[in-house]
Amino acid sequence: MSLLATSSWQAKIYVDGWTDGSGGTIAVTEPATGRNLGSVGAASVDDVLKASTAAARAQREWALRKPEERAAVLRRAGQLFEEYAEEIQGWIVRETGAIPPKGQLETHIAANECFEASALPGHPHGEVLTSNEDRWSFARRRPAGVVSVIAPFNFPLILSIRSVAPAIALGNSVLLKPDPRTAVSGGVVLMRIFEEAGLPAGVLQLLPGGADVGVAVCEAPEVRVIAFTGSTPAGRKVGESAARNLKRAHLELGGNNALIVLPGADLEKAVSAGAFGSFMHQGQICMTTGRHLVHESMYDEYVRLLSEKAEGLPVGDPASGQVALGPIIDEKQWDRIDGLVKQSVEAGATVSAGGGGEALFYRPTVLSGIDHTNPGWTEEIFGPVAPVMKFSTIDEAVELANSSEYGLSVGILGDVGEAMKIADRINSGKIHINEQTVSDEANSPFGGVGASGTGSRVGGATANIEAYTETQWLTMRPEIAIYPF
Ligand code: NAD
């Protein structure tokens, strides 16, 4: 059995069914080899407007379906993610340049997102209120309407499904705009799964394209809520557009996440955690460990062991199953990473491991001797680069961790009592004690503060119901009320 072997989706977009996009087609390229993997359709602004009108029509019917019918579609979608996991992982490996365990993580979480979302239709949808009048009074949750989901290239499946599944489960329809570089893993896969799961045509529409299509799915008149995951500059534009058009935008943006290594922490385990946090998926994760803050008593050994580990990690074609790091998504990103490493060195940092690479591969890199004004420290690098700085007092570590404009994830390694006290002083959407900074679960609220976004709007029933419904106040009297005139 195959999910994607059918040619129905090749070179197509989905507007009430697979169809040609007026924007032409987008080639799907394997970053590790430069090989062509096929093509998807490219949507135009016109296609977006048509899809949005059709989605609004489909949504009215979908919202009236019994909760158990909506739940069944989500459960089936979760099962299909499990049944087709291996085939989907193959695409994630080739299209996103991921090592196979990252592909497995994406399909596992995708299934969980659907199973979690399948509980939402049956979840209580409001409150019984008190009233000073002689009446019953309720606050009830209603679907928001049409939701636009815009996803980035790095974890395309998870970052699409984590919004698509709860939005659909709660009776909305969705315009999905994946990143053009990963439109199969972040778009076609979801569309095919929901087709097979029996979702009525029109409830999910697939509109691959670039920033112009992203702008269009924000501006389309029927769209009420936008779930955007991507960079902070693009997120600001989405937020501006949403405010102008009086729509709600959930913005999950960049990060520059600190890992604090306390005095007395197990050095070997800390180095392993730090390496994973910085090098997993080539550092192309919003939660990547971008700043290692290590107590001065351990700093030299930490830098030495982390550099040793970095030098030992194999880099190459992830489809071989023999490497720890695959390629960077494209040349533009590679140049940005290398540019930031060079700027860091000009500003005084030392390359203790890695630096540079061949083709789209970038060697895991350690920057030491860095100070808090260095661009390698202040900027989100979004590549396999581990900047390490020492601290002497806990107050200094807290101040440095909080000094970033971002606030997505912080890891603290070492004594739990000390870590708990630090956690109470840290501004961050999430904090992991005795773990590195990368972690995500379908049932937990996820999101950042500051330049990382508008707070935890995804994950778990509370956040998802808040994100994808509107509250309606409803009152009832046994007879028509009496008025003074
Ligand atoms: P990007 O912002 O360039 O692109 C993300 C998506 O937004 C793409 O689909 C793109 O086509 C679209 N887009 C771009 N400009 C747009 C606009 N003006 N209006 C609407 N849509 C627009 O992001 P990127 O550089 O490809 O991805 C990496 C960034 O994403 C990093 O900053 C990373 O930290 C962030 N990210 C955040 C999270 C999170 O959950 N907080 C998760 C993953 C990635």
Side-chain angles (χ1 to χ4, degrees), residues 477 480-485:
R477 291 179 188 254
I480 296 174
I482 307 295
Y483 295 95
F485 58 86

Side-chain angles (χ1 to χ4, degrees), residues 151 162 177 181 228-231 234 252-254 286 380 382 446:
R162 73 178 184 179
K177 204 229 54 91
R181 293 163 289 185
F228 174 87
T229 305
S231 63
E252 299 295 344
L253 312 177
C286 53
E380 179 188 44
F382 221 61
F446 181 102

Side-chain angles (χ1 to χ4, degrees), residues 298-322:
M298 305 162 72
Y299 173 83
D300 289 342
E301 268 305 89
Y302 186 92
V303 170
R304 189 179 70 74
L305 291 173
L306 185 65
S307 303
E308 228 173 75
K309 192 174 276 287
E311 294 289 357
L313 292 173
V315 184
D317 183 351
S320 69
Q322 304 296 315

